[in-house]
Amino acid sequence: MAPTYDVIVLGLGGMGSAAACRLAERGVRVLGLERFGPAHDQGSSHGGSRITRQSYFEDPAYVPLLLRAYELYDQVERDSGREIALLCGGMMVGRPECRTVAGAVRSARRWDLPHEMLDAAEIRRRFPAMTPRDDEVALYEARAGLLRPEAMVSAHLQLAAKAGAELRFHEPALHWEELPGGRGVRVRTGQNTYTAGQLVVCPGAWAPELLADLEVPIEVQRQVTYWFRPRGGIDAHLPERQPVYVWEQTGGVQVYGFPAIDGPDGGVKVAFFREGGAPCTPGDIERTVRPAEAEAMATAMRRIAPDLPDTFLRAVTCMYSTTPDEHFVIARHPAHPGTVSVACGFSGHGFKFTPVVGEILAELALDGTTAHPLGLFDPRRFTAPGAPGAAR
């Protein structure tokens, strides 16, 4: 007889590990399945750091989820004993009318979030490593900062296991299906077949494979993050002197960066946000980073932080799973509303929501609903007649 659980979670990266944690803490029998090892570097939840911020330029509708996520950062740190967040401040930089700045201002004002507006001279004074043009400004948010993704995933896995979840690594799901009459789900792997009353699917870049019937046109894109050693050392880039930032340049190109958090030899991490993201699949992504890619990054950084790209240290690839409108998909599966919940299409800006997405998924699976606002994330927005980006 197939082993039976209350809930099976497919994928134990950022969102799946959080879902397994919240489900297990509610006392149900949880099975988590992951194709790689714990806190691996083959998907989207790695790379040492992720920006977190509340004055959200993407849409003010995200802010309530961010406020809850911040509460859960503290809880996860207390419960696991791991440091996952460093709130060193953050800037959204560019011309006042650009999306990065104007959108952040809109969210800050809509939700009355503490923030400061800095002109170019004030940016240079407070953060001497930065060299904005005279017509650039910044929204500065003291509560912004960074998360350590591997530590976050590991903390959620630790807490899930402590609460009784059965976590199986190196065991990818090959197929899942709803049982006749909506009486649960069946999941087949290379090792076994399992059944459960509920299924939670957090597939990351494997969404096109595992959620084909969701009919969401997700494009998986190769992205690269880079580490450089600044000229003269890292002192000007330490967290007490340098915030995280997203900087919109000419033509809408965004670059983002972090303070130096990995010691004198660890360098400083920077990247383009979505720029040059070549379509790929998890099976054919090019993991080698070419010298021309590193030089393009260095060229962009010389304009805003001239001392930073002195010596290229290394680069790491990851994958964005991007929807046409760059908003998430978090919902009950429209074709299996009684048994399957999904979280995918995080479009390169989802990791900061990890703990609250886990909470939402646990509520959807066990209660059938959630009080968190999910209207922006309904997958049916892509399949309604005439919907932009609708699957054909």
Side-chain angles (χ1 to χ4, degrees):
M1 179 180 293
T4 299
Y5 300 85
D6 294 313
V7 187
I8 296 174
V9 179
L10 299 189
L12 294 173
M15 307 309 173
S17 63
C21 172
R22 296 304 168 197
L23 286 161
E25 288 178 345
R26 289 185 59 170
V28 300
R29 295 168 297 167
V30 179
L31 171 66
L33 296 172
E34 168 57 52
R35 68 179 58 234
F36 300 109
H40 62 82
D41 63 358
Q42 297 300 297
S44 306
S45 299
H46 61 281
S49 56
R50 289 289 189 280
I51 288 177
T52 189
R53 50 194 167 88
Q54 295 182 349
S55 299
Y56 217 61
F57 64 77
E58 286 84 350
D59 196 296
Y62 285 91
V63 174
L65 297 181
L66 286 162
L67 297 177
R68 177 57 176 157
Y70 269 61
E71 293 174 350
L72 292 172
Y73 298 160
D74 292 339
Q75 180 182 322
V76 173
E77 288 189 329
R78 288 193 306 269
D79 292 348
S80 70
R82 298 172 185 263
E83 182 182 78
I84 62 172
L86 174 60
L87 301 184
C88 55
M91 292 193 297
M92 302 297 108
V93 191
R95 292 172 61 91
E97 69 276 10
C98 76
R99 180 194 184 201
T100 304
V101 175
V105 170
R106 184 167 58 252
S107 283
R109 290 176 177 171
R110 167 68 179 80
W111 293 100
D112 195 25
L113 300 173
H115 67 284
E116 301 175 65
M117 296 304 301
L118 311 180
D119 62 17
E122 184 65 6
I123 297 170
R124 297 186 199 107
R125 186 187 72 79
R126 291 173 63 168
F127 310 113
M130 304 278 94
T131 56
R133 291 175 174 152
D134 289 343
D135 61 350
E136 291 179 315
V137 300
L139 179 144
Y140 177 78
E141 181 183 344
R143 290 278 290 165
L146 62 92
L147 304 171
R148 288 193 175 272
E150 292 89 347
M152 176 85 83
V153 173
S154 296
H156 279 132
L157 293 174
Q158 170 191 331
L159 295 173
K162 182 179 179 180
E166 182 178 333
L167 307 177
R168 293 180 174 268
F169 299 98
H170 305 289
E171 187 171 348
L174 303 178
H175 177 73
W176 66 266
E177 61 186 352
E178 188 174 43
L179 296 173
R183 293 181 293 104
V185 294
R186 180 184 294 117
V187 176
R188 179 170 56 86
T189 74
Q191 287 90 331
N192 213 331
T193 299
Y194 308 96
T195 60
Q198 294 286 321
L199 178 67
V200 173
V201 186
C202 303
W206 286 262
E209 172 187 337
L210 288 174
L211 289 173
D213 67 341
L214 190 62
E215 298 186 280
V216 173
I218 291 174
E219 180 178 82
V220 179
Q221 301 169 345
R222 172 185 180 270
Q223 296 289 331
V224 184
T225 53
Y226 305 83
W227 282 258
F228 292 91
R229 179 183 295 118
R231 182 173 60 252
I234 65 170
D235 284 357
H237 298 269
L238 293 172
E240 56 268 29
R241 299 187 179 98
Q242 174 65 58
V244 301
Y245 55 88
V246 180
W247 200 307
E248 185 166 330
Q249 301 184 322
T250 304
V253 174
Q254 292 169 306
V255 299
Y256 64 94
F258 298 83
I261 58 173
D262 295 318
D265 298 320
V268 176
K269 178 184 171 183
V270 294
F272 290 109
F273 187 43
R274 294 199 186 93
E275 185 72 10
C280 67
T281 71
D284 67 14
I285 180 175
E286 174 56 64
R287 295 289 184 179
T288 301
V289 178
R290 297 177 293 277
E293 294 179 283
E295 180 53 35
M297 187 77 254
T299 297
M301 294 309 302
R302 289 186 188 107
R303 208 277 283 173
I304 64 176
D307 76 318
L308 177 57
D310 187 59
T311 303
F312 170 66
L313 297 177
R314 63 189 178 100
V316 171
T317 59
C318 70
M319 291 177 283
Y320 286 3
S321 302
T322 302
T323 64
D325 60 9
E326 298 174 0
H327 295 310
F328 310 157
V329 172
I330 309 173
R332 282 291 214 170
H333 195 307
H336 313 282
T339 55
V340 182
S341 304
V342 301
C344 61
F346 287 94
S347 303
H349 62 109
F351 191 86
K352 62 185 73 64
F353 297 87
T354 293
V356 70
V357 171
E359 182 173 77
I360 290 167
L361 290 169
E363 292 170 353
L364 291 177
L366 300 182
D367 306 330
T369 187
T370 177
H372 290 293
L374 298 184
L376 189 61
F377 312 131
D378 191 329
R380 292 171 296 184
R381 70 188 189 270
F382 298 113
T383 55
R392 296 291 187 262

